[in-house]
């Protein structure tokens, strides 16, 4: 087709040309280095008052890395805010008479079949309303290993097939062994049926996308043959616990500024999030075959976080990896309890640590290497933070300046500056709402948004040391103890974790918090006060985890208009279609006496026990 | 009702450990046992994916060859240094030219 040529990326970003993106990258690099250098210089001046000892040299080095880690999002969000104020209107939809044959892939692994198939039926119906549905085919790629769940999938697939619009098939394939996990699952599809489809849209088990979005992303990828992957950022919705509300609210309110910053410097060097993206099948088959890393897991073996690597490989082959920041109607669901969040993080952590082995691989683009490094630092930064705290305390003890003279004045100013830098993206997000009153009103008005932001910030401060503890545990467990994460199914449902299990899971954190409190106050009362944000979060980890997983607390906040998102006020059509499909499938199952195909509580108990068994060795061993 | 998909009631598994399986999943499914002998042929024989009487499970094969797996040859430190020097020289030249 002659009209399929490289086009300017359809995006709202003000920085579209390679030259403009190059300028932004240089600006970001210089800005980040300058901020980090200033912070480190200020810290060096503070500790140099009485001379610098060995421990303080270590603390200074760790501080510089942490300062880089704080400065980069700060600068990126400043650029993102600037981008938001300058960017143009939403691009028009891509005109294309004939869409290519496109597969919509739904890889699943022991997930709730009712939720998965309801989403598929809803997307098929939503596609039908666009009139472009005959170009799409759904493929459920099951790697399910639990016999009961597999039977449920079979039964519900049969019922869902009857609900699909004419011309939209839903195929079902199950592998008896989940070789290569999700990446192996997709590769198996490409090897067997990839020749049939020019494009494939990869979803997750909890993904759901509007029909119009599916059509538009397909049209954009079809219109420009240089696009290898087009990612539509998914928005977390549909959950009610306090933790889920915080994640949903943060993604909704802060997400646009972060995304605008990310868009400013990535351009065609974007990343792939593993789902809610359209991929050029032939290019993927030819260039994205993953290696098996030499050595044993956790750092060797099959690559767990395949998405970053696939994006780097398809980019290396010359295709664009772009993010469609203007497309809405792309949804996912987020974890509802701290346990689920930690289990997911543990898997991501190991996957990202594996990427450290790919950093220097020949031929990759610098931006791809940066995506890898960024992922690695997301988890390693927690270890560096702990190293910094220990080195700083040791340095103070070595100098015997325990009276707290060093902890006033300049240190307080430095702390305030870092804190402000951390809060800047939130301020900018709030400012961006001023120019968008419609969006502010969808979120309940600016007063409610401000109150929600304060609440979110307070909880995030308490949660930070708990997550840092987890991340440090995962990194140490993987790199020093060589423990590999087990492939546990994700829970995608609302549930309650019993208190006794929370105590089991967070006991070590609580004891660590008590120890930090005792030691810091023993050094000096002022040191104790400075360490309170660290010690209090850890000490209260059990009630924090309980509150975060509470649906009733989430509902209580929602009733007061706090931590709400627009999708809760006006439910998107695709979610309404999914609810209706779920009811229809359930009714059909009941009519045919197959209610056993709907998961019950027993499965959740087993899943939770498995998850805790997976998580505990990492947390306790380190 | 689709009689070929009449599934048995699920077992109650609360408080009991899941039964350990022997052999591959495919072997288990093909092997007649008290738990699966009453299941339809379709369920016991997942390998015969297109033998569904009414509805295809999967379309006809359309294979696509996968490329070579990613090679893990690292860029040498010397090359990193060369690249760095080149970049630095280029930047300095640009600055000087202005």
């Amino acid at each position: 087709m002659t009209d399929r040529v490289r086009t300017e990326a359809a995006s709202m970003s003000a920085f579209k040309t390679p030259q403009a993106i190059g300028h932004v990258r240089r600006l970001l690099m210089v800005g980040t280095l300058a901020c980090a250098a200033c912070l480190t210089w200020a810290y060096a001046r503070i500790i140099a008052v009485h001379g610098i000892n060995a421990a303080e040299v270590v603390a200074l080095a760790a501080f510089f890395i942490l300062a880089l880690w704080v400065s980069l999002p700060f600068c990126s969000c400043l650029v993102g805010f600037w981008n938001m104020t300058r960017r143009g209107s939403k691009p028009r939809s891509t005109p294309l008479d004939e869409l290519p044959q496109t597969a919509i892939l739904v890889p699943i692994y022991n997930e709730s079949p009712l939720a998965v198939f309801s989403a598929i039926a809803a997307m098929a119906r939503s596609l039908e309303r666009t009139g472009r549905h005959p170009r799409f085919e759904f493929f459920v790629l099951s790697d399910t290993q639990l016999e009961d769940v597999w039977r449920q999938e079979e039964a519900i697939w049969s019922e869902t097939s009857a609900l699909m619009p004419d011309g939209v098939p839903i195929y079902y394939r199950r592998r008896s062994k989940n070789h290569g996990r999700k990446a192996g699952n997709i590769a198996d599809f490409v090897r067997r049926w990839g020749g049939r489809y020019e494009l494939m849209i990869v979803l997750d088990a909890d993904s759901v996308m509007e029909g119009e979005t599916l059509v538009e992303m397909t049209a954009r990828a079809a219109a420009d043959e240089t696009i290898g992957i087009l990612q539509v950022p998914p928005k977390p919705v549909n959950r009610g616990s306090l933790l889920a509300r915080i994640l949903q609210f943060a993604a909704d309110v802060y997400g646009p500024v972060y995304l605008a910053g990310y868009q400013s410097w990535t351009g065609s060097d974007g990343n792939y999030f593993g789902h809610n993206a359209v991929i050029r099948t032939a290019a993927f088959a030819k260039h994205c075959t993953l290696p098996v890393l030499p050595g044993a897991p956790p750092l060797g073996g099959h690559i767990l976080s395949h998405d970053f690597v696939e994006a780097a490989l398809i980019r290396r082959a010359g295709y664009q990896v772009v993010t469609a920041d203007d497309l809405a109607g792309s949804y996912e669901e987020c974890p509802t309890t701290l346990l689920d969040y930690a289990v997911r993080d543990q898997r991501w952590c190991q996957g990202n640590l594996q990427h450290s082995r790919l950093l220097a691989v020949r031929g990759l683009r610098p931006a791809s290497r940066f995506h890898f490094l960024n992922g690695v630092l997301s988890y390693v930064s927690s270890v560096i933070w702990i190293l910094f705290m220990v080195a700083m305390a040791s340095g103070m003890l070595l100098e015997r300046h325990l009276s707290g003279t060093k902890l006033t004045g300049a240190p307080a100013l430095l702390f305030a500056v870092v804190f402000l830098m951390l809060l800047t993206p939130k301020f900018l997000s709030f400012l961006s709402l001023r120019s968008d009153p419609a969006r502010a009103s969808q979120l309940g008005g600016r007063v409610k948004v401000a109150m929600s932001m304060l609440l979110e910030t307070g909880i995030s401060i308490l949660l930070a040391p708990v997550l840092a503890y987890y991340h440090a545990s995962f990194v140490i467990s993987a790199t020093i103890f060589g423990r590999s994460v087990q492939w546990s199914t994700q829970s995608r449902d609302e549930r309650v974790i019993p208190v006794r299990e929370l105590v089991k899971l967070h006991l070590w954190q609580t004891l660590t918090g008590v120890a930090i409190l005792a030691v810091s106050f023993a050094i000096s009362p002022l040191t104790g006060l400075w360490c309170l944000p660290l010690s209090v979060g850890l000490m209260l980890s059990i009630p924090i985890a309980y509150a975060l997983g509470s649906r009733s607390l989430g509902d209580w906040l929602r009733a007061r208009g706090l931590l709400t998102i627009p999708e809760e006020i006006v439910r998107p059509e695709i979610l309404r279609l999914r609810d209706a499909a779920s009811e229809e499938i359930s009714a059909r199952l009941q009519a045919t006496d197959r209610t056993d195909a709907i998961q019950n509580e027993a499965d959740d108990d087993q899943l939770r026990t498995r998850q805790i068994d997976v998580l505990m060795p990492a947390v306790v061993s380190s | 009702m689709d009689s070929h998909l009449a599934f048995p009631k699920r077992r109650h598994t609360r408080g009991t450990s899941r039964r350990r399986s022997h052999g591959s999943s495919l072997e288990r499914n093909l092997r007649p046992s008290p738990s699966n002998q009453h299941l339809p042929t379709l369920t016991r024989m997942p390998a015969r994916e297109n033998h569904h009487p009414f509805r295809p499970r999967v379309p006809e094969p359309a294979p696509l060859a996968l490329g070579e797996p990613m090679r893990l040859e690292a860029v040498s430190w010397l090359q990193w240094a060369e690249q760095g020097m080149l970049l630095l020289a280029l930047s300095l030249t640009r600055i000087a030219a202005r």
Side-chain angles (χ1 to χ4, degrees), chain A residues 426 452-464:
Chain A
K426 298 177 197 270
S452 299
M453 285 172 72
L454 283 174
L455 184 64
E456 184 273 334
T457 305
I459 295 172
S460 296
I461 291 170
L462 285 175
L463 196 55

Side-chain angles (χ1 to χ4, degrees), chain A residues 108-177:
Chain A
I108 55 175
Y109 176 78
N110 297 336
E111 271 98 0
S112 161
L114 183 63
V116 169
F117 284 92
S118 303
I120 291 172
M123 285 186 276
R125 287 172 171 178
S126 184
L127 274 171
E128 188 185 21
R129 293 178 185 184
T130 67
R132 313 298 287 269
H133 58 287
R135 306 307 296 165
F136 294 90
E137 297 183 353
F138 284 88
F139 241 102
V140 178
L141 304 173
S142 172
D143 263 359
T144 291
Q145 303 297 299
L146 300 176
E147 192 181 324
D148 290 352
V149 182
W150 164 42
R151 291 183 189 190
Q152 291 164 6
E153 286 171 4
E154 295 258 4
I156 295 179
W157 166 70
S158 172
E159 296 303 338
T160 310
S161 300
L163 299 179
M164 297 293 276
D166 286 342
V168 187
I170 173 170
Y171 299 119
Y172 174 82
R173 182 282 271 132
R174 190 182 82 88
R175 293 195 302 170
S176 54
K177 283 189 176 174

Side-chain angles (χ1 to χ4, degrees), chain A residues 3 192 199 428 453 477 480:
Chain A
D3 59 335
R192 294 172 69 185
L199 298 169
L428 295 175
M453 285 172 72
S477 171
I480 296 176

Side-chain angles (χ1 to χ4, degrees), chain A residues 424-448:
Chain A
T424 298
K426 298 177 197 270
F427 289 137
L428 295 175
S429 302
F430 189 72
L431 277 180
S432 73
L433 287 175
R434 284 179 65 88
S435 57
D436 193 351
R439 196 163 145 255
S441 128
Q442 283 178 336
L443 287 160
R446 284 205 287 269
V447 175
K448 287 280 168 67

Side-chain angles (χ1 to χ4, degrees), chain A residues 150-313:
Chain A
W150 164 42
R151 291 183 189 190
Q152 291 164 6
E153 286 171 4
E154 295 258 4
I156 295 179
W157 166 70
S158 172
E159 296 303 338
T160 310
S161 300
L163 299 179
M164 297 293 276
D166 286 342
V168 187
I170 173 170
Y171 299 119
Y172 174 82
R173 182 282 271 132
R174 190 182 82 88
R175 293 195 302 170
S176 54
K177 283 189 176 174
N178 62 329
H179 183 74
R181 298 188 175 119
K182 186 178 171 185
N185 196 357
I186 302 283
D188 177 75
F189 163 82
V190 172
R191 197 167 36 233
R192 294 172 69 185
W193 296 287
R196 188 179 161 90
Y197 307 100
E198 184 179 329
L199 298 169
M200 57 182 188
I201 294 173
V202 179
L203 301 179
D204 219 354
D206 59 4
S207 298
V208 62
M209 298 182 83
E210 300 271 7
E212 280 185 8
T213 310
L214 291 167
V215 169
E216 176 60 24
M217 64 199 281
T218 306
R220 284 186 191 181
D224 184 348
E225 284 187 339
T226 66
I227 291 180
I229 298 176
L230 185 143
Q231 174 72 56
V232 182
K235 192 173 176 187
V237 291
N238 215 34
R239 291 291 181 229
S241 74
L242 178 59
L243 176 66
R245 287 194 168 281
I246 287 172
L247 296 174
Q248 290 170 178
F249 177 82
D252 194 278
V253 178
Y254 313 142
V257 172
Y258 278 103
L259 188 60
Y262 170 84
Q263 280 287 74
S264 304
W265 67 266
T266 51
S268 300
D269 283 312
N271 211 346
Y272 169 40
F273 305 163
H275 54 92
N276 295 34
V278 61
I279 299 174
R280 191 164 303 282
T281 315
F284 184 86
K286 190 172 178 188
H287 303 291
C288 297
T289 308
L290 299 178
V292 176
L293 297 174
L299 297 181
H302 286 287
I303 289 177
L304 293 184
S305 293
H306 55 94
D307 39 15
F308 283 32
V309 186
E310 287 159 352
L313 290 176

Side-chain angles (χ1 to χ4, degrees), chain A residues 154 192 195 285 360 362 606, chain B residues 10 18 49 57 62 67 73 75:
Chain A
E154 295 258 4
R192 294 172 69 185
R362 196 183 293 269
Q606 289 174 1
Chain B
R10 67 188 299 284
R18 197 168 288 282
E49 283 164 323
R57 285 178 163 240
E73 293 166 10
V75 180

